[in-house]
Structure formats: C-alpha cells, structure tokens
Amino acid sequence: MRLLPRNAAADKAPKPEKALDRPEVLRRYEITVEREFVSLRSQSGQSCAMYCASCAHEVNMLPPEIAADAAGTTTRTIYRWVEEKRVHFFEPSSGKLLICSESLRQLSRSNQLSSGESL
C-alpha cells in the first residue's frame, strides 16, 4: 500500500456525480427602496406646490384657512372633510395641515352640482 500526500488522496477519491436530471436552483432577490421627499417652500402661510399621492401629480397644497376661503366655507368644515377623508391632505412632521387644492376643487364642484348651483 502506497501512502499519498493528503491533497493527492483527495484528488484521487471518486467524486459524486452531479444529478443531470435535477435543474440547478437559481435565486433572484429584488430589493426596492422607496424614498419620500417633502419640500415646503412657502413661509408666508400661502399655498405651496407638492406632489399629492392620491391625485398622482403636483398640486397646490393650502393651509386650512386659505382652503376654507377658496371653498367658501369655514375652517371647521375643512377639518371635518379631512376627518371624513373627503379631501386629500398632508400633515408634515411640523404638524401644519395642508389640503390638496385639486381634491378641494372637485369636492366643491360636486357639492355645487348636487345643490343645483351653477358653476
């Protein structure tokens, strides 16, 4: 019996055959990173342009006081509409509520049509 060096013995040992009928399993991983950037530019309390996720485009976002003036109603009604989710809104970490002007316009239009007023 002849002794072979350890590595040579491993090379001479029979290797298990790969199963030809079993396909190799390939794994694909998909990583999605979403980021949201908010930029409020108006310091005067007026409207600012922002992306409304519900409208899927950039709209003017109004503070409740200006939204109430634009809709011809009170700020309490604006807050009620927000609670009822009848208008789109955004509340940044600063806590200042902003109302989507497009959803406000659509709500005002539907209210006018339902009450029979002319546009």
Side-chain angles (χ1 to χ4, degrees):
M1 172 187 244
R2 188 174 137 212
L3 295 175
L4 297 172
R6 187 173 193 159
N7 290 342
D11 289 340
K12 299 275 183 188
K15 295 182 180 176
E17 291 185 27
K18 205 176 203 181
L20 299 176
D21 57 357
R22 191 177 86 193
E24 286 188 35
V25 177
L26 297 177
R27 293 184 185 178
R28 177 182 290 182
Y29 295 96
E30 185 173 322
I31 299 172
T32 304
V33 177
E34 294 182 19
R35 294 181 184 195
E36 181 177 330
F37 294 97
V38 175
S39 174
L40 300 177
R41 296 185 181 145
S42 175
Q43 297 296 325
S44 63
Q46 300 297 319
S47 67
C48 62
M50 276 183 57
Y51 179 80
C52 176
S54 300
C55 291
H57 62 275
E58 190 170 295
V59 297
N60 283 332
M61 298 296 263
L62 308 169
E65 296 78 19
I66 295 175
D69 287 342
T73 187
T74 64
T75 54
R76 178 64 199 121
T77 302
I78 296 294
Y79 286 117
R80 184 171 46 83
W81 288 346
V82 167
E83 290 169 0
E84 295 171 354
K85 295 185 179 15
R86 293 177 68 187
V87 292
H88 307 154
F89 63 94
F90 177 73
E91 191 169 9
S93 58
S94 65
K96 296 181 180 182
L97 184 67
L98 297 171
I99 313 299
C100 168
S101 62
E102 184 65 24
S103 67
L104 186 65
R105 184 184 65 78
Q106 290 174 359
L107 181 64
S108 295
R109 177 180 281 173
S110 68
N111 284 344
Q112 286 176 349
L113 293 176
S114 66
S115 66
E117 295 177 22
S118 61
L119 292 175

